[in-house]
Amino acid sequence: MIERKALIFNVQKYNMYDGPGLRTLVFFKGCPLRCEWCSNPEGQLRAFQVMLRITACVHCGACVPVCPQGIHSISPITKQHEIDHSKECIGCRKCEAICPAQALAIAGEEKSISELMEIIEQDRMFYEFSGGGVTLSGGEAMMQPESVANLFLACRQAGINTAMETCGYARPEVVAKVAEVTDLFLFDVKHMDSERHLQGTGVRNESILENLRWLLDNRHNVKVRIPLLKSFNDGEAENLALRRFLEPYSGFRNFQGVDILPYHKMGVNKYTQLQWDYPQKGEPGLSQEDLDRVVSYYDGVGYPVNVIKH
Ligand code: SF4
Ligand code: SF4
């Protein structure tokens, strides 16, 4: 039998923010949203992508002949390295391996479930003493539901806690299937107003809120997360709308509260490496005063509301 492979772009160990205890994060590639502030742009496309640190490149041309797809070239006029992003990278990593300046990185790697389990199992001891486990991030793992289901089933069988960060944009049957093997959802709510949600992320929010409601109603463990941006979703109206939405679940044991994740600029240099424009044009950073104000919209809710600064 050919084992199913997941397309991932990173594995991060000893994470303390994305679920209980110490966690191994596995980043799945491909996402249905295009958030303007995305800090993992290399996770958006479900395809291999070439990333170049142009400041490290010495324009030697070693990557040119090894690429079977003809993606690299040295311009005869400028003598600079150029990348043809219209051609499909097949992820062979020959260019990455040959580059003497380590200027290239290929985003995307296919891993079988047993290969992922091998990586995850390496830190079993840490999960056991900290109450940790594995968290899927991305991108959006629910774009590869079969891989998620198989991986989480293997984790369950190995007694490893499973969590998933999600944008919540998936077909209801996918959410239901994945929920069977997921111990905790870290569920993003980016905006309660569908038009504003569309502007900021490229999709409307109705199906996302339906999925959130379904998970909460069906007693799946959920922590809601707000990626917070000044002048996008830090206003009273949208936060009170979310508060009202969550009110019925205040006493539910499976509803674990709200995490507020203030905007940061950590992903900006990855846009340069992908040769993409950074879509977030404003300055949506928040002061401590802004954060205190947003937290105050949730005064007295009866569930935990925390600000998580990465
Ligand atoms: S990974 Fe392979 S196909 Fe992709 S750019 Fe490098 S050499 Fe070309
Ligand atoms: S091999 Fe490396 S240093 Fe040489 S042109 Fe390619 S990316 Fe630049």
Side-chain angles (χ1 to χ4, degrees):
M1 193 178 89
I2 298 168
E3 214 188 339
R4 178 174 295 280
K5 294 204 167 191
L7 183 64
I8 66 162
F9 65 96
N10 197 10
V11 174
Q12 202 184 88
K13 293 185 161 208
Y14 317 120
N15 171 285
M16 296 186 303
Y17 303 103
D18 300 306
L22 279 175
R23 311 201 65 85
T24 296
L25 259 55
V26 182
F27 292 79
F28 275 54
K29 205 156 166 20
C31 184
L33 270 61
R34 293 290 177 267
C35 301
E36 288 185 352
W37 57 88
C38 177
S39 59
N40 288 330
E42 78 279 34
Q44 290 182 359
L45 301 183
R46 197 170 160 184
F48 296 106
Q49 285 173 282
V50 185
M51 297 176 82
L52 172 69
R53 285 190 301 125
I54 194 72
T55 47
C57 176
V58 294
H59 309 281
C60 67
C63 53
V64 177
V66 298
C67 177
Q69 301 295 93
I71 287 169
H72 302 280
S73 62
I74 299 292
S75 159
I77 301 157
T78 63
K79 311 289 183 217
Q80 302 286 298
H81 179 187
E82 289 179 353
I83 293 173
D84 185 346
H85 291 284
S86 70
K87 293 181 175 160
E88 187 191 356
C89 171
I90 56 169
C92 68
R93 298 197 131 77
K94 287 181 181 163
C95 58
E96 194 184 64
I98 206 163
C99 174
Q102 276 131 41
L104 285 166
I106 303 304
E109 206 177 339
E110 285 183 319
K111 291 258 187 231
S112 68
I113 302 307
S114 29
E115 285 170 329
L116 287 172
M117 282 309 291
E118 211 170 287
I119 299 168
I120 291 164
E121 289 267 14
Q122 286 162 0
D123 295 311
R124 170 182 284 282
M125 204 175 70
F126 293 105
Y127 313 143
E128 281 171 6
F129 84 72
S130 68
V134 61
T135 300
L136 304 188
S137 184
E140 172 55 57
M142 280 203 275
M143 280 190 84
Q144 302 181 56
E146 293 297 332
S147 297
V148 173
N150 292 349
L151 178 61
F152 273 4
L153 191 61
C155 288
R156 280 256 169 111
Q157 284 163 352
I160 295 170
N161 177 273
T162 59
M164 176 191 289
E165 278 194 292
T166 181
C167 69
Y169 192 83
R171 292 196 315 277
E173 59 271 26
V174 168
V175 177
K177 180 184 171 82
V178 165
E180 285 173 18
V181 282
T182 304
D183 295 321
L184 173 65
F185 285 90
L186 303 164
F187 197 110
D188 274 9
V189 175
K190 282 145 182 162
H191 210 293
M192 290 300 286
D193 180 272
S194 198
E195 272 304 312
R196 293 286 284 138
H197 196 281
L198 178 64
Q199 286 160 12
T201 72
V203 304
R204 301 185 68 86
N205 71 3
E206 286 83 359
S207 62
I208 294 173
L209 295 178
E210 269 314 300
N211 287 334
L212 174 58
R213 204 189 305 276
W214 184 88
L215 286 170
L216 287 165
D217 284 340
N218 286 280
R219 301 298 197 267
H220 293 286
N221 293 324
V222 176
K223 186 175 269 191
V224 168
R225 295 186 136 187
I226 312 171
L228 197 69
L229 288 90
K230 179 102 175 160
S231 308
F232 174 64
N233 57 2
D234 68 326
E236 188 170 14
E238 54 270 22
N239 282 283
L240 291 188
L242 178 57
R243 179 182 169 141
R244 274 195 302 279
F245 181 97
L246 295 173
E247 218 153 52
Y249 306 106
S250 165
F252 281 33
R253 280 185 60 192
N254 63 311
F255 173 45
Q256 302 189 359
V258 173
D259 280 350
I260 292 171
L261 304 148
Y263 169 81
H264 59 71
K265 274 196 155 167
M266 265 155 21
V268 176
N269 65 348
K270 297 194 228 171
Y271 286 84
T272 315
Q273 290 174 35
L274 289 163
Q275 305 186 325
W276 287 3
D277 281 341
Y278 186 55
Q280 182 63 57
K281 301 294 178 217
E283 271 301 327
L286 298 116
S287 64
Q288 189 56 49
E289 209 174 40
D290 292 322
L291 294 175
D292 293 343
R293 172 176 50 79
V294 175
V295 171
S296 77
Y297 300 141
Y298 296 87
D299 274 351
V301 283
Y303 49 79
V305 178
N306 294 305
V307 176
I308 310 284
K309 291 184 185 170
H310 279 75

